[in-house]
Amino acid sequence: MNESNTRKNGQLLKIALLMVNIFLATACSKFKGISSTHQRYAESLTAGHEQSCLIFQGALTCWGANDYGQLGDGTTENKATPTMIISSGVTQLSFGVFHACAIVSGALKCWGRNSNGQLGDGTTVDKTTPTTIISSGVTQVSLGNYHTCAIVSGALKCWGYNNDGQVGDATTVDKATPTTIISSGVIQVAAGDMGTCAVISNGALQCWGYNNYGQVGDSTTVDKTIPTTVINSGVTQVSKGWYHTCALVSGELQCWGYNKYGQLGDGTTVDKHSPTTISISSGVTQITAGSNHSCAIVSGGALQCWGANWYGQLGDGTTVDKYTPTTIVSSGVTQIAAGAGHTCAAINGLAHCWGYNYYGQVGNGIVGDKKVPTTSISAGVTQMSVGERHSCVVVSGELKCWGFNLSGQLGIGTKSSKDTPVTVINSGVTQVSGGQSNTCAVVSGTVQCWGDNSYGQIGDGTGTSRNTPITVVNSGATLVDTRYHHTCALVSGALKCWGNNNSGQLGDGTSTSKATPTTIINSGVTQFAVSDEHTCAVVSGALKCWGANTYGQLGDGTTINNNTPTTIINSGVTQVGLGSYHTCAVVSGALKCWGNNNSGQLGDGTTINNNTPTTIINSGVTQVGLGSYNTCAVVSGALKCWGRNNYGQLGDGTTVDKVSPVTIINTGVAEASLGEDHSCALVSGGALQCWGSNYYGQLGDGISVLSPFLVP
C-alpha cells in the first residue's frame, strides 16, 4: 500500500515525500555565555516531512507533526517547540514521511508509522517510542517515504515498502525486517521518496527504485529493483529528494531527475535522466535535497538553495521558485537539512529553520494557522475582502494587501508573498475584492484590477497577467467582485461582467469568454456576487442568478446550467453571497441558502444538497459571507459560522465541520469575508480580525516564516 498525505485538500502538495537525511557529522565547538533555553545549539540537524530534529551533545530533541507518533515522545500530539526524545548517545537521525530512525550508541532505534514494515521490527504495528531494530554496528541510516536503509558494519540493509523496487532485493515485495542488499564496502546511503542510492568504497554510485523521471540516473525511466551503477568513481556524497537526486563527484555538484521547479539548479525546468553538472560556487561541502528544492553549503560556509519556494523554503524572503543556486546565508553555515516544505541550518552553531510551518516544524513555538479570531489590524478599516489565499483592506482610502502572491495578486510589482499588510494604492479606494489569484478595487469611480489574467478576468482586453493595478473601467463604478476566473462590476446602476464564461457565468447568453467589460443587466442592480462558475445579482429587490448549476447553486429547482439571468426570489433581497458551489441571500432579515452541502455549508443541519432557497436563520441577519465550503453571517451584531473547518476557518477553536450556525464573536461585527480556508471579520472600531489557514501569511500577523528563524 502506498500512502499519500492529502492534508491540503488537493489544493497544494499531494506529497508522497521523501526525506533524505544524510549523515551529518560535523560537530560544532563548545559555546559559552548563551543559555540553551533561549537558543538551540546544533551538532546535527534533520528536517523531515513535517518535522525537525536536532542533536546536541548526544541528546535528541524534535518538533512538528506527530500524527503517527513519528516524533517518538510517546504521544501523537503535534509539538511546536523542541521536545526531548532521547537524552544521550544519539549520533544520527533520519525521517521518512511518518516514521523516524536514530543511531543510539551504535544501535538502530525506529518509531512512528509501520504500515509497510518500515520500522523493521517484523510487524506492521505503529510505535510511538523508540524501538531497537539492530543492536550494534550501525554507522548510518536513511529513510525514504515508507522504506528504511542502514549501513551495518559496511553492509547495506533495507526494509519496508517495496512496490517500486526501492528496497533493492530484486523483488517488489515489502520487507518487515532488515534485508542485506550490498554485503560490504558501503560508505553512505540516501533513501528518497521511492528510491535509494549508495556510495561504495571505490567512489562508485549505485541507485535503484522508482525511475519515472530519470532519478535513478541511468539514462532511462525504467524502475530498477537492484543496485545499478550510475557513476563509476569520484562520488563522496549523495542526497535524494522527492524525484530528484544530487551528488558530489570529484568536487563537482551533479543533479538529475525531476526538474519542474528548477530543483536540479541547471537554469531550466527540463528533467534530466543522467547526472548533469550544476554551476555553483566552488568548495561544496554538503548537499541536501528536499521534496522539490535543494541546498548546498559552499566555500566560506555560505548557503545556496534553489528549486520550489511555495512556502519560503529557500529562505530568500520570497515565494518565487529559483532555477539556479541562490545565496541565502553568506557565511557560518555548517549543517543543512531540507524537508518537504521547510529547511533547517546550523548557522554559527545555532539552529535556524524557515518555510512551511503548519505543524510547528520551524520550531518557533507557533503553528501557522489560527483557530480563533486574531487581530490583524487594530483600527481604521472601512472595508475588507478575503481572496483564496490573500487578504486586502481599505484603511482611510488606502489599500493594503498581504498573503500569497505567486500571480501578482497583491499588486505590489513583485510576486513575493507578504505576511504583513503592504500598501498597494495610496488613496481614493472605496472597495476591494480578492479573487482566487487576482484582485480588483474601486478607486475614485474607476475599476482597477491585477494578478492572474489567463481568462481575461482583469478586463484589459489581453490575457497578460499584471502585478500592479491597471484601470479597466474609467468612471461610474461603485462595486466590483472577482472570485475565480471572472469579474463583474456595478457601473452607474448597470452590471458589467468579463472573464471566463465556460458555464455561462457572465450571463450574456453565450459561453464565450470576454476580455473586456460586457453589459449584462442595464439598470436596477444594487448588489451582486460572483463565484467559481456562477453569478447572482440583486435587481430592484429581486434575486437573479445564472451560470453553472451542478449542485443546484442557482436555486431554480434544477441542476441545469443557465447562461442568462433567471429570477430566483421575487422580492425582499438585500444581499447575496456565493461560495464555490453554494449560495446564500439575506431576504427581509432572514438568511436563505441553497446548493452544495457536502461540508454542511448550507447550515440546515444536514450535508444534503438543496436546489431551492431554504431558510437557515429567521431574522436579524444583516450580512452574509461565503467561503468555498463554509459560511458566516452577521446576526444582530454577532458572527455565526458553519461548514468546512479543516484549517480552523470557522473560528470556533476546533477543526471540526459544523452543519448548523455556531456563534464565533458575540457582538460588534459589521462584516465577514471568507476565502478558501481562512476568514476575516470587521469588528467594532474598524478593527480587523482573521483566523484559519496562515499558509502564506494571509492572516497578516507576520507569522509565516520565509527567511531563517532562530529556533528558541
Side-chain angles (χ1 to χ4, degrees):
M1 178 181 67
N2 186 8
E3 301 181 39
S4 62
N5 185 5
T6 57
R7 289 190 177 101
K8 287 300 294 177
N9 291 324
Q11 292 294 325
L12 301 167
L13 289 174
K14 288 188 178 181
I15 308 177
L17 289 148
L18 95 60
M19 293 296 69
V20 261
N21 300 294
I22 61 176
F23 185 22
L24 307 176
T26 305
C28 60
S29 58
K30 293 183 179 179
F31 297 90
K32 298 179 180 179
I34 301 177
S35 170
S36 62
T37 60
H38 293 90
Q39 295 176 313
R40 294 279 169 173
Y41 295 125
E43 293 172 353
S44 180
L45 284 167
T46 300
H49 180 202
E50 290 166 338
Q51 312 83 19
S52 304
C53 291
L54 64 82
I55 300 168
F56 181 65
Q57 296 181 345
L60 176 68
T61 56
C62 298
W63 58 95
N66 196 28
D67 37 1
Y68 290 101
Q70 60 264 47
L71 293 187
D73 68 340
T75 77
T76 56
E77 297 175 359
N78 299 341
K79 301 293 186 296
T81 54
T83 301
M84 180 66 70
I85 307 301
I86 301 173
S87 60
S88 64
V90 182
T91 54
Q92 194 240 331
L93 173 84
S94 182
F95 265 115
V97 171
F98 299 121
H99 75 298
C101 292
I103 300 174
V104 186
S105 302
L108 182 69
K109 296 179 181 287
C110 297
W111 59 93
R113 185 70 163 154
N114 199 24
S115 54
N116 301 97
Q118 57 262 50
L119 298 188
D121 67 345
T123 77
T124 55
V125 179
D126 298 348
K127 304 292 188 298
T128 61
T129 57
T131 300
T132 300
I133 307 301
I134 300 173
S135 58
S136 64
V138 182
T139 54
Q140 195 232 329
V141 64
S142 184
L143 277 58
N145 270 10
Y146 306 104
H147 76 292
T148 305
C149 292
I151 300 174
V152 186
S153 302
L156 180 66
K157 296 178 182 288
C158 297
W159 59 94
Y161 185 58
N162 196 27
N163 189 64
D164 299 285
Q166 56 263 55
V167 168
D169 67 340
T171 78
T172 55
V173 179
D174 293 354
K175 301 294 184 292
T177 56
T179 301
T180 299
I181 306 304
I182 301 174
S183 58
S184 64
V186 181
I187 60 174
Q188 194 235 325
V189 63
D193 176 48
M194 293 178 285
T196 310
C197 289
V199 181
I200 313 303
S201 56
N202 63 0
L205 180 68
Q206 297 186 349
C207 297
W208 58 95
Y210 188 57
N211 196 27
N212 196 48
Y213 298 97
Q215 59 266 46
V216 167
D218 66 341
S219 299
T220 78
T221 55
V222 179
D223 294 352
K224 301 294 183 293
T225 60
I226 58 173
T228 301
T229 299
V230 178
I231 300 173
N232 291 313
S233 63
V235 180
T236 55
Q237 189 182 135
V238 64
S239 184
K240 284 188 67 64
W242 181 8
Y243 295 137
H244 75 292
T245 308
C246 291
L248 278 181
V249 187
S250 301
E252 288 187 341
L253 177 64
Q254 297 187 3
C255 297
W256 58 95
Y258 191 52
N259 197 28
K260 181 177 180 180
Y261 305 103
Q263 56 263 55
L264 299 188
D266 67 344
T268 78
T269 56
V270 179
D271 297 348
K272 302 296 187 296
H273 299 163
S274 60
T276 301
T277 299
I278 307 305
S279 178
I280 191 171
S281 300
S282 62
V284 178
T285 58
Q286 193 210 328
I287 54 174
T288 183
S291 58
N292 287 303
H293 74 294
S294 308
C295 293
I297 301 174
V298 298
S299 296
L303 176 65
Q304 296 189 343
C305 296
W306 59 95
N309 199 25
W310 313 308
Y311 315 111
Q313 61 262 51
L314 298 187
D316 67 343
T318 79
T319 53
V320 179
D321 297 347
K322 300 295 186 297
Y323 302 148
T324 56
T326 300
T327 299
I328 307 303
V329 180
S330 59
S331 65
V333 181
T334 55
Q335 295 282 314
I336 182 67
H342 76 294
T343 308
C344 291
I347 305 173
N348 297 321
L350 300 177
H352 292 69
C353 295
W354 57 93
Y356 182 43
N357 196 32
Y358 182 71
Y359 296 97
Q361 57 265 52
V362 168
N364 60 353
I366 306 167
V367 292
D369 299 348
K370 298 288 186 299
K371 299 179 180 65
V372 295
T374 301
T375 300
S376 300
I377 298 176
S378 59
V381 178
T382 55
Q383 192 260 333
M384 51 91 187
S385 180
V386 169
E388 184 174 83
R389 292 185 176 92
H390 71 294
S391 306
C392 294
V393 296
V394 180
V395 184
S396 302
E398 181 182 5
L399 179 65
K400 297 176 179 286
C401 296
W402 62 92
F404 193 47
N405 194 31
L406 187 61
S407 298
Q409 57 263 55
L410 297 188
I412 58 177
T414 74
K415 292 186 177 180
S416 298
S417 298
K418 302 296 180 185
D419 55 18
T420 55
V422 177
T423 298
V424 181
I425 300 172
N426 290 314
S427 62
V429 182
T430 54
Q431 189 249 332
V432 63
S433 177
Q436 181 194 41
S437 50
N438 66 303
T439 309
C440 291
V442 178
V443 186
S444 301
T446 69
V447 173
Q448 297 185 14
C449 297
W450 57 93
D452 180 38
N453 197 25
S454 52
Y455 292 87
Q457 62 265 48
I458 286 181
D460 65 346
T462 76
T464 304
S465 298
R466 313 281 182 179
N467 58 23
T468 56
I470 184 169
T471 300
V472 296
V473 175
N474 291 315
S475 64
T478 54
L479 183 66
V480 66
D481 194 21
T482 185
R483 183 65 176 260
Y484 192 55
H485 291 143
H486 78 293
T487 306
C488 293
L490 184 58
V491 184
S492 302
L495 183 67
K496 297 178 180 288
C497 298
W498 58 94
N500 189 28
N501 197 27
N502 63 321
S503 298
Q505 58 263 50
L506 297 188
D508 66 345
T510 77
S511 57
T512 303
S513 298
K514 303 292 187 298
T516 56
T518 301
T519 300
I520 307 303
I521 300 174
N522 289 313
S523 63
V525 179
T526 54
Q527 192 260 334
F528 67 93
V530 305
S531 185
D532 289 15
E533 294 184 336
H534 76 295
T535 308
C536 291
V538 180
V539 186
S540 302
L543 180 67
K544 297 178 180 288
C545 296
W546 58 94
N549 198 26
T550 307
Y551 299 95
Q553 60 262 47
L554 297 187
D556 64 352
T558 77
T559 54
I560 301 171
N561 294 355
N562 197 327
N563 59 19
T564 57
T566 300
T567 299
I568 307 302
I569 300 173
N570 290 315
S571 62
V573 181
T574 53
Q575 192 235 331
V576 63
L578 276 58
S580 287
Y581 308 109
H582 74 296
T583 306
C584 293
V586 180
V587 187
S588 302
L591 182 68
K592 297 178 181 288
C593 297
W594 59 94
N596 186 29
N597 198 27
N598 61 342
S599 298
Q601 58 263 48
L602 298 188
D604 64 351
T606 77
T607 55
I608 300 170
N609 297 345
N610 198 327
N611 59 18
T612 57
T614 300
T615 299
I616 307 303
I617 299 173
N618 290 315
S619 62
V621 180
T622 54
Q623 191 257 341
V624 64
L626 276 63
S628 293
Y629 301 98
N630 61 312
T631 308
C632 289
V634 180
V635 187
S636 301
L639 182 69
K640 297 178 180 288
C641 298
W642 58 94
R644 184 170 292 179
N645 198 27
N646 52 331
Y647 296 104
Q649 59 263 51
L650 296 187
D652 67 340
T654 78
T655 54
V656 179
D657 294 352
K658 301 295 185 295
V659 296
S660 56
V662 174
T663 299
I664 307 303
I665 301 173
N666 290 315
T667 61
V669 181
E671 180 186 355
S673 182
L674 283 57
E676 173 75 16
D677 41 35
H678 77 294
S679 308
C680 292
L682 185 58
V683 299
S684 298
L688 182 71
Q689 296 190 350
C690 297
W691 59 93
S693 176
N694 202 21
Y695 219 64
Y696 299 101
Q698 59 262 51
L699 301 188
D701 59 358
I703 295 242
S704 72
V705 186
L706 303 180
S707 56
F709 181 93
L710 181 63
V711 177

